[in-house]
Structure formats: C-alpha cells, structure tokens
Amino acid sequence: MSAATPTPAAARPGEAPRTPAPVENRPRRRGSRTGRVALYVTLTALLLVFVAPMVWAVSGSFKPRGDIFEYPPNLIPSPGTFENFRNLLSGQPFWNWFAISVVTALLATAIAVFVCALAGFAFAKYRFAGKRLLFSVMFSSLSVPFAVILVPLFVLIVKSGLSNPWFALIVPWVAPAFGIFMMQQYIIQSIPDEILEAARIDGASEFGIFWRVVLPLLRPPLGALAVWQFLQSYNSFLWPLVLISDTDRYTIPLGLNILFKAENRSFDLVLPGAVLASVPTILVFLLLRKQLLEGLSAGAVKG
Amino acid sequence: MTSLSTRPDGKRRQLAPYAFIAPFYVLYGLFMIVPIGAGVYLSMTEWVGLGTPEFVGLDNFANLARDTSFHKALGNSMIFVLISVLIVVPASLLIAQALNTRGLRARDLFRVTFFIPMVLSPIVIALVYSLLLDRDYGLVNSVLRALFGAGTTDWLGDPTLAKVSVGFVLLWRWVGYLTIFFLAALQAVPRERYEAAELDGAGPWRTFTAVTLPGIRPVTAFVVVTSFIGSAQLFDEPFLITGGGPGEETLTVAMFVYRAAFDRQQFGYAAAAGLVLFVIVFGISQILNRLLSIGRTS
C-alpha cells in the first residue's frame, strides 16, 4: 500500500510476476498524446474547482467588508487588512470556542484510539465464544443513523445532569465501530502470531502484550484513526447544536453558525472565522495525510 | 489462524478478549442501545419535554403517515441518497480511474487536494458556498453576468436549483474521500488480468466491465453502503446552506426530527420519525451488507 511509485518498464510477457508487491498494477494505456493532455487538463480544471472556493474565502478574509464581493475578485487583497481578524477576536469569544473544540476533540481522539485498538486487537487475535455475534453487533452499529438517537440521547443526557460539554461532547463518541474495524483489519494483516507467542513465553500478561508489543507496531493505523476521529469530533455540528446553549461554551462550528445567522450576515467576521477554524484540521491532515489516506484505503481494500 | 487459545493456558487468556472489547460494549450499550430503547418508548408518547410523557400508543406513527412535511422530507432524503449513490459514487470512480493512469505526474497533489473538502467543517463549506451562491452578490452570479449578461439565478431560492446546489456541495465534499477507496482498489487489481484482456483484444469499455468492475467489487459495495447511510441521515449541508428551504424543498428526515424536537418540543413525535428513519436505513443496509457480504470476521 505504499504510495504508488511507477515502475520504469512494463513487465515483459514471460517474466515471472514480481510477487506480492502491489505497487504498479495500473491498466496499460495506449500512449496517445492527446489523451494524456486531455487528462491533465481535466484534472487541473477539477483541481481549480476544488481550490477556488477555499482561495476565495482566504483572500476575502483579508479584504475590507466592502471589497469581499468585488468583481472580478482580486486574488491578493488590495488593500489587505487584518481588521476582520482583529474584530472577530476582540468582539467574540472566539478563543473560548476554539479551546473547547480543540480540547474536546483531542480528548475524544486519545480515548477512541485506545478503545478501538484494544477491541480491534481482541477481534483480530483471539478466539472466543460469541465472537462472530459480537463482531456483527459491533459492525451493524455503523448503520444506525444518528437521527434515531438524537432525541432520546439528548433527553437522557440532560435528565442525568451530564449536559456539560466536557462530558457530553466526548464520552458518547469515543467508541466508533469504524475504528475497531480498521484496527482489526490492520492487526490481522500485519501482526504475526509468533511475536505474541514469543511475548507469552517470556511471561508477558495479555494486556502487557497489547501495550508493549502490539501497540508500538500500530503506528500507521493509530495515526489514521486519530486524524479521522479528530476531524469527526472537531467538525461535528448537530449534537453540539442541540446540546449547548451557552454562547461561551460553544464549539467553533456553533460560533460560526450564530455569526452567520446574525441580522447583518457578518461575513466580514465569518470568513476570518472560517479560515481560523480550518487551520487545525488542515494542519492535522497535512501532517498525517499519508497515514490517513493509506489507513482508510487499506481497511476497505482488504475488508 | 494459529493456535492462540487452543492450548489450555489458563483462564486469563480466555477472559482477556472479553476485557478488551468490554469498553466498547459498555459505551455502545449506554449511548446506543439505551437511547434506541428510550426512543422506542418516547415514540409511543406525547411529550413536550416537561412533566410525564403521556402514552399514546401508535398515534405518532399514524400521524407521521399523514404528515405531508414528513413525506416531503422522506422524498428529499431519497433524492439526496440517489444523488450520492448515482452521481457522487460514479464520479469518484471516474476520478480514481483518471488518477490511476500509469505514470501520472503529481498524483499525490491531486489526491490530497481532492480530499481537503472532507477535512473542512460543514459549517465552513456551507457559509462559503452560501456566499458564493448568493443571488445578488455571489461570485457565481457575477461570473454569469460578466460572461452572459444574465446572472440573477436564485441558486438557493428556487425549489429545483436549491436541491441541485446542495447536491453539488455534497459532490464537492465527498468525491475526493470516496476516490481514495476506489484508487486503492484499482491499484490492487492484478495487472496480469489487464494484460490478459489486452491479449484477448478487449477494448477499454470491455476491459472496464470485465476486469476492473469485478476486481473492485468489494470496495464498491463498501462505498455504496457508506454513501447510502451517510446521505440518508443528511443534516448539516441543507440545514446550513438552505435551512431546508425554499419552503420544505430541501428538508431532510434528520432535519424533520430536529425541528419537531427542538423547534416545536414534540419529543415523542420526533422520536417516532427518527425510528422510522432507523428502520429504513438499518433494514436496507443490512440487506445490502448481506447481499454484498461486507463486514465478516476473517
């Protein structure tokens, strides 16, 4: 699953297929030059469709309110200004929202990664009574739409006095079945039974095996799951929307939502807010993109 | 699988897996099973959030069956499911095919850039798009005005265009994510099969249907089911971009549940609507999983 590195020459017929290397399996294209040009043109056009809205938003966030909708839009704001950012940060509890979002997402991520790795390990490396049933119960929770638990979970959480964001934004979401599935797939594929046996012979406890032998080998899927969970938690909207009513305890998405719904549609505050809100997710993604993209695809392909 | 627990090696090893999966099942029970149970109970009551819920049997369901808003929401959700499964999924496969071309340069740049929308908050996407699509100031209409002299299209206010706009945002947001799965699947199709097809003189279309599609079947199944579940419970995009409007033209079932509970305090009615969605989504995805054999333990 390594990033695709093109092999120089096509395999000649008669040559033994280079065994497991899943590196270069692409269909052979008949080398039409126009076809290739068309391909690059299409992909580049598509790239622009993906990038344009983001560039427009970033550039707009540095423009005075009156210039945001200028046409044709200037890529480089002139005059550029930090006024919007200053207004946002001084007039709104933006850093509060930011802190709540980031900290709850980090906590949820740390716990989820641990819970999923542990359960994934059990499903991958042990035989036990009821395993099939338990696995399919776990897996089927992937197809439960959130809308069905939205109302009753809200009622239960509020009635039991747990509607505090530090509990309610974290604890119900730290055991994603998708993460267990991903871990289980990876452990089956890449952790040989022998090293577990060796650790057992050395007298390690079962949890010791997980903690000291298995976990250190799980770097790639842990990275993937961590990014995935962080994004889920940081970007979640509906649950915080029903749960949190105190503006000081808003998460970033909620904060941006009220700014945007405000009377004068304060897009000069909303754009810098959107840009700042995206910084952590884009950063996390760019840093761990390799793990995430490969972790996601590995689970699905071998699944 | 070698003999891990076949040797009689003490109770600890037999109990260990249960201890390891216990945290998941505790959380699953508390935050999934209990709420679903409570939802079933609530769905048979009338309750405004204060006092004791009043038992009304199946009245809520009977009312849902007559409620035109609910019908509208079901229909809209179905439209978004169809957009996801019939447009977004094939588009991702197409992009993955393109990215899978041999010797393509900057493959990673494309792959990563197409993925970025998935990383952004739905609220960020929604507010950027509602500014871009604004009828009076939006960039899209400004461009149309400059090019064709006519740019007064009401992208978010026209019943059909509002659905198209939300559909486009779904496409923009999801396509790069799904492409990742298809690309990995395409790369895993053994090359000998393509060579055999070429020797047999198969054209590109024939190669696609005879080699590529069977080779990526498991991933296609996974992607279709994921997209189905995701789009059937769609909330963020229509809520944030169109607010369900104009009228109820982009109202989805999840939004219907939200409005019933948190705008009108009809908690029992909302729970009933949630339950209907659950039965439909869970039922269809179990059937799909079975048909396509997804999610088996190895």
Side-chain angles (χ1 to χ4, degrees), chain A residues 114 118 121 205-217:
Chain A
F114 177 78
L118 197 58
F121 172 58
S205 69
E206 298 301 312
F207 184 77
I209 295 175
F210 168 74
W211 189 251
R212 279 192 296 276
V213 180
V214 176
L215 210 52
L217 296 172

Side-chain angles (χ1 to χ4, degrees), chain A residues 24-26 36 40 49-50 125 129 134 141 143 146 152 175 180 193 197 200 235 265 270 285 297, chain B residues 2 4 7 13 18 24-25 28 35 100 102 105 115 119 121 127 134 172 184 187 189 191 233 285-286:
Chain A
E24 186 59 25
N25 294 324
R26 298 199 174 81
R36 197 142 272 251
Y40 280 107
V49 172
F50 275 84
K125 290 295 177 191
L134 286 166
S141 71
S143 25
F146 178 58
I180 299 181
D193 289 340
E197 282 304 333
R200 265 189 202 110
N235 290 338
R265 297 183 75 200
V270 151
F285 170 64
S297 42
Chain B
T2 48
L4 270 192
R7 271 179 291 153
R13 193 191 297 185
Y18 295 107
F24 169 78
Y25 287 94
Y28 175 79
N100 195 33
R102 265 214 238 171
R105 280 167 210 236
F115 193 89
V119 167
S121 240
L127 54 88
D134 189 279
W172 189 80
Q187 288 173 347
V189 177
R191 180 149 35 123
Q233 51 177 325
S285 48
Q286 292 311 305

Side-chain angles (χ1 to χ4, degrees), chain B residues 15 54 70 76 87 99 118 135 152 167 171 198 210 222 236 249 270 292:
Chain B
L15 291 181
E54 183 197 339
F70 188 63
N76 291 337
I87 297 177
L99 291 183
M118 196 60 211
R135 194 186 58 185
T152 50
L171 176 69
E198 205 176 339
F222 170 83
D236 294 2
E249 293 300 325
L292 306 167

Side-chain angles (χ1 to χ4, degrees), chain A residues 115 119 123 133-145 148-149 153 156 170-178 180, chain B residues 21-38 278 282 286:
Chain A
V115 168
F123 279 123
L133 178 70
L134 286 166
F135 188 86
S136 48
V137 166
M138 184 273 293
F139 197 79
S140 67
S141 71
L142 283 174
S143 25
V144 176
V148 66
I149 56 170
L153 184 64
L156 291 169
I170 299 175
V171 180
W173 317 113
V174 293
F178 174 75
I180 299 181
Chain B
I21 60 175
F24 169 78
Y25 287 94
V26 169
L27 291 162
Y28 175 79
L30 284 176
F31 300 112
M32 187 81 91
I33 301 297
V34 170
I36 292 177
F278 168 71
F282 197 80
Q286 292 311 305

Side-chain angles (χ1 to χ4, degrees), chain A residues 88-138:
Chain A
L88 172 74
L89 298 177
S90 62
Q92 307 293 335
F94 188 84
W95 293 122
N96 268 8
W97 303 339
F98 193 79
I100 292 191
S101 277
V102 170
V103 177
T104 52
L106 285 176
L107 288 171
T109 302
I111 307 172
V113 159
F114 177 78
V115 168
C116 291
L118 197 58
F121 172 58
F123 279 123
K125 290 295 177 191
Y126 291 86
R127 282 198 220 161
F128 49 95
K131 177 172 165 178
R132 278 182 90 89
L133 178 70
L134 286 166
F135 188 86
S136 48
V137 166
M138 184 273 293

